[in-house]
Amino acid sequence: MSRAAWFRTRRRDDERFARAVESGSDSDSFGAELAVVAALRRLGDSVTVDDRARERIVRRIVASPPRPRPRARLRPAALLAGLFSLVVALTGLGTALAQNALPGEPLYHLKLVQETVTLGLTFDAEDDAVRRLSYASRRLDEMTELGRHEGPDDSDEDGYQLALREFTAHATEGTSRLTALATRSDTRLLSVLSSWARRESTRLDTLIPALPATVGDDLGTLLQRIERRATALSARMDCYEITSATTDDLGALPATSGCAAPSPLPQHTDKPHTRPSIPAKRKEHTPPRDVPAPEHRRASMAIPYDTPEQSRRPVQPEGSLDPTDVAPPPTVPAPVPAPTRARLPDSSPEEPPLLSIAPLLPGLPAVTIG
C-alpha cells in the first residue's frame, strides 16, 4: 500500500469514528471505543471544570503536537573511525603506563611487546645489536627495583626468573650480532661489547645481595663469558684466521690455530711499459714481370676501319666479286710466353695508356691504346 492510500484509509476511518461518537450508531465496528467515550463522558460530568481550564484543554488538543526530532543515524565509517581512535588512545595510554612496569605486573608483557616491535622496525644491524644490549641493561634495572620493593626472603622468584630469561635472550643475541659485525670490520664494536660487559658486572656486584642466589650466579657467569669472548676476538683481529667454524649462543668461537698475519698484497712498481720488439721482415726480391712488346699490344688492340678510298669505291652488282674485297689473311701475333713460375704482386704502379676511349654501348669494354 502506498503512502497516499494509507492516509486516505486512515482519514476515512477517523470520520466514521467521529460520526459514531456523535450519533451513537455503528456500535458493531466501534463498540469498545464507544464504551471508552461513554466512560469518559460520565467521568467528565462528575468533575466540575471551569471555563478557563476547559478552554486551555481545548487549545492543547487542537494545537498540533510537536514533531519528534529524527534520530541521528550512525554511519559505519564514523563508527570505525571512533573505534580506531579509541584503540589508539588505549594503546598509547597502556604503553605509557607500561614503561615503569616490573616483572610480574599486568602491564609488563605489554612492555615486552613494545620492545619486540621496536626491534622489528630497526633495520640497521649495528643499531639492532646495541639496542638489544640496552634492553638487557633495562632488565638489570628492573631487578634492582624488585630488590628495593621486596627483600631477598620474600622476593617474587617468578619475576626474577622472567627478567633473567629476557636478559639472557637480549644479551646473547646482541653479543652474537656484534661479534659477527666486528670480525668483518674492526675492533671498535668489540671494545663496545667488552666495556658494556665490565660495566654491567660492576652493577651486578652491588645488586647480588638483593637477588636470589641462582639468579645472581647465572647473571655473573653470562657477563664473564661475554667479556672473555670479546677479549679473545680482539686479540686475534690481526691474525689471518679470526674465528673458527664452531658457534655457540654467543656467536662464533675464536680460532685456536696459530696467529699468522695475512700475507701482504703484491706491490706494483711504476716501470714504463715496454712493448716487445718484433723482428723486421726481410724484403724479398721480386723478379720483373714479363711485359709484352708495345708492337704486340698495339696490334692486338687495333680496330679495323674503312679508308676514304674504300668508302668512295663504286658499288658492284650482286654476283660479281672484286679482287680488292678479298683481304689478305690476318697476321696473328706470336703468343706471349707464359711465366715459368707464379708471379708475385708488384707494388709498382702500371703505366697509364696513351689513349682511352669510353665504351660506345653499355656492356662493351673500354678501348685503350698504348
Side-chain angles (χ1 to χ4, degrees):
M1 182 183 293
S2 64
R3 192 177 183 86
W6 182 83
F7 274 115
R8 289 194 299 269
T9 304
R10 180 67 180 273
R11 185 176 180 179
R12 186 167 54 250
D13 293 342
D14 292 343
E15 291 176 354
R16 287 180 54 202
F17 179 72
R19 289 194 297 268
V21 171
E22 292 176 358
S23 62
S25 60
D26 203 359
S27 58
D28 296 336
S29 301
F30 303 100
E33 289 81 357
L34 293 178
V36 173
V37 171
L40 291 175
R41 286 178 175 176
R42 290 193 300 270
L43 182 62
D45 295 339
S46 62
V47 178
T48 304
V49 182
D50 55 355
D51 296 338
R52 295 179 59 185
R54 191 182 297 277
E55 292 177 0
R56 187 171 66 253
I57 294 172
V58 171
R59 285 197 302 269
R60 290 184 178 180
I61 294 175
V62 173
S64 60
R67 298 178 59 185
R69 293 182 299 177
R71 294 186 303 173
R73 298 177 60 184
L74 294 178
R75 296 181 179 180
L79 181 61
L80 292 177
L83 291 177
F84 179 75
S85 301
L86 179 62
V87 170
V88 171
L90 292 178
T91 303
L93 179 61
T95 303
L97 294 177
Q99 293 298 321
N100 298 324
L102 297 177
E105 295 182 357
L107 295 178
Y108 184 73
H109 292 282
L110 180 60
K111 182 179 181 178
L112 299 181
V113 170
Q114 180 190 3
E115 294 177 356
T116 304
V117 172
T118 305
L119 290 174
L121 297 177
T122 303
F123 302 103
D124 186 75
E126 181 178 349
D127 293 343
D128 182 85
V130 173
R131 193 180 297 274
R132 289 178 184 275
L133 295 181
S134 66
Y135 287 159
S137 300
R138 186 181 293 182
R139 302 292 89 85
L140 282 182
D141 296 337
E142 294 168 356
M143 294 181 190
T144 304
E145 292 296 327
L146 284 177
R148 291 176 182 176
H149 289 81
E150 302 173 356
D153 297 334
D154 56 348
S155 60
D156 186 6
E157 184 71 21
D158 295 337
Y160 282 109
Q161 291 295 334
L162 178 58
L164 175 63
R165 289 194 299 269
E166 293 296 326
F167 176 87
T168 304
H170 287 305
T172 54
E173 187 65 24
T175 301
S176 177
R177 292 173 182 263
L178 273 184
T179 53
L181 292 174
T183 52
R184 293 195 297 264
S185 57
D186 51 15
T187 59
R188 179 181 58 86
L189 297 179
L190 293 177
S191 301
V192 171
L193 180 60
S194 179
S195 61
W196 176 84
R198 286 194 299 269
R199 184 176 62 252
E200 299 305 323
S201 297
T202 304
R203 291 180 55 195
L204 183 61
D205 293 338
T206 61
L207 183 60
I208 281 181
L211 296 178
T214 56
V215 175
D217 295 340
D218 293 342
L219 290 174
T221 302
L222 180 59
L223 289 174
Q224 290 176 6
R225 289 182 57 208
I226 293 174
E227 184 177 0
R228 288 196 301 266
R229 180 63 57 85
T231 303
L233 290 176
S234 299
R236 295 193 62 88
M237 286 302 293
D238 295 333
C239 302
Y240 180 77
E241 186 178 4
I242 301 175
T243 59
S244 63
T246 308
T247 59
D248 58 0
D249 56 343
L250 298 182
L253 294 174
T256 58
S257 60
C259 183
S263 59
L265 296 177
Q267 302 278 336
H268 294 281
T269 58
D270 299 335
K271 292 183 179 180
H273 180 69
T274 58
R275 298 178 60 183
S277 60
I278 302 175
K281 294 183 178 180
R282 182 177 300 173
K283 186 174 181 181
E284 298 180 358
H285 177 69
T286 304
R289 296 184 300 173
D290 296 333
V291 181
E295 296 81 7
H296 294 170
R297 295 179 61 184
R298 291 191 183 97
S300 61
M301 300 300 297
I303 300 176
Y305 59 93
D306 295 338
T307 60
E309 290 76 6
Q310 293 176 354
S311 61
R312 289 194 298 267
R313 189 172 51 187
V315 178
Q316 298 293 334
E318 294 183 2
S320 61
L321 181 62
D322 191 355
T324 60
D325 291 337
V326 181
T331 303
V332 179
V336 179
T340 58
R341 54 182 176 179
R343 295 180 181 179
L344 297 176
D346 189 3
S347 59
S348 60
E350 296 181 358
E351 296 179 358
L354 298 178
L355 179 63
S356 177
I357 302 175
L360 300 178
L361 294 176
L364 295 180
V367 178
T368 58
I369 300 174

